[in-house]
Amino acid sequence: MSHTRGPAERNALISIDHASAVEGLKCADLVDAMGRLHRHRCHMLDLITPTPGRVLFGAAVTISYFPSCSASLDPERYNLANLFYEAVGSDPEGKVLVLASNRYTDVSMGGGTKLSRLQRHGLAGVLTDARLRDFDELAGYDFAAYCAGEATRWGGDEVTPFQANVPVVLSGVGVIPGQYVFADSSGAVTIPPGDLERVLAEAHSIEADDARDRAEIAREDGPPP
């Protein structure tokens, strides 16, 4: 009997294919590849991670934070639990949770307890332009995390999760839900979903060119006579 794959199964297979396609690539390769197709800024620098060596890759879901005001924003409605499930929807596996601080970059967006939801639901990881708490706990999870640094203080009295799956800006880079996010030790890059295949192919071509250049340099004896 033939088996017709449903949308969730097809998306899972696509995610596996794309995850294998980024193996061996660096953020710089993807930024160079994006630069050959687009002129807009797509990369972020100066990120810190409690999970060194892990690559973050997946489709973005977003949460935009807003200055806390319990008189206007009921904490029973505007909290990370509610906004998380609103953002990830019914198909959270492999997604990248992007948390936009809206310039509150020294404030904690979450920590080991609240972000354990990513572990439970199989997300690829989290990216934020602000800080995260509990690096030791985050390092024990399976997902990758990239942020501006570690925080020691709860940030809920300063900012609160406000909107899910809206376009956001991190470090001058626009992130639209559904875009692909890649991050490693050197930085992060966002890729429009419609260009993902071309960008990955171009990045692999760049990496191959660099490998050939390194091999040629290794054979050099010195300057020509």
Side-chain angles (χ1 to χ4, degrees):
M1 178 183 295
S2 63
H3 171 61
T4 301
R5 297 187 178 98
E9 188 175 356
R10 287 196 298 270
N11 288 339
L13 289 172
I14 291 170
S15 297
I16 292 170
D17 290 343
H18 289 160
S20 62
V22 300
E23 289 184 10
L25 293 178
K26 303 182 293 294
C27 186
D29 300 324
L30 292 163
V31 172
D32 285 349
M34 277 290 292
R36 296 181 180 183
L37 297 174
H38 299 286
R39 294 185 178 181
H40 66 267
R41 179 182 174 89
C42 64
H43 66 281
M44 308 169 204
L45 301 173
D46 302 323
L47 296 172
I48 305 297
T49 179
T51 55
R54 296 185 195 172
V55 169
L56 175 62
F57 178 71
V61 294
T62 67
I63 296 177
S64 180
Y65 281 62
F66 196 82
S68 296
C69 176
S70 59
S72 301
L73 303 176
D74 181 0
E76 293 298 315
R77 162 68 180 92
Y78 296 98
N79 57 63
L80 188 55
N82 288 342
L83 272 290
F84 172 83
Y85 290 112
E86 187 177 335
V88 302
S90 60
D91 185 26
E93 189 169 356
K95 299 291 177 60
V96 173
L97 182 64
V98 177
L99 307 176
S101 73
N102 289 302
R103 298 191 178 185
Y104 282 76
T105 54
D106 279 334
V107 177
S108 172
M109 299 288 103
T113 300
K114 293 180 178 178
L115 294 178
S116 66
R117 294 182 180 92
L118 280 74
Q119 177 79 3
R120 179 185 175 193
H121 295 285
L123 272 72
V126 58
L127 171 68
T128 180
D129 60 341
R131 294 177 180 266
L132 298 174
R133 293 180 66 181
D134 311 321
F135 270 27
D136 56 340
E137 291 182 45
L138 296 177
Y141 295 138
D142 296 326
F143 59 81
Y146 286 85
C147 62
E150 187 170 11
T152 57
R153 184 181 181 278
W154 171 70
D157 60 338
E158 294 191 60
V159 293
T160 188
F162 180 53
Q163 293 175 302
N165 281 339
V166 295
V168 296
V169 179
L170 280 72
S171 303
V173 176
V175 182
I176 298 173
Q179 285 184 334
Y180 281 81
V181 173
F182 178 99
D184 63 15
S185 60
S186 62
V189 57
T190 61
I191 306 168
D195 290 332
L196 181 62
E197 302 293 346
R198 286 198 299 165
V199 169
L200 291 178
E202 190 67 30
H204 279 289
S205 176
I206 290 169
E207 174 58 28
D209 289 343
D210 287 345
R212 284 192 295 271
D213 289 344
R214 289 190 293 269
E216 290 181 6
I217 290 171
R219 292 193 294 268
E220 290 178 354
D221 295 324

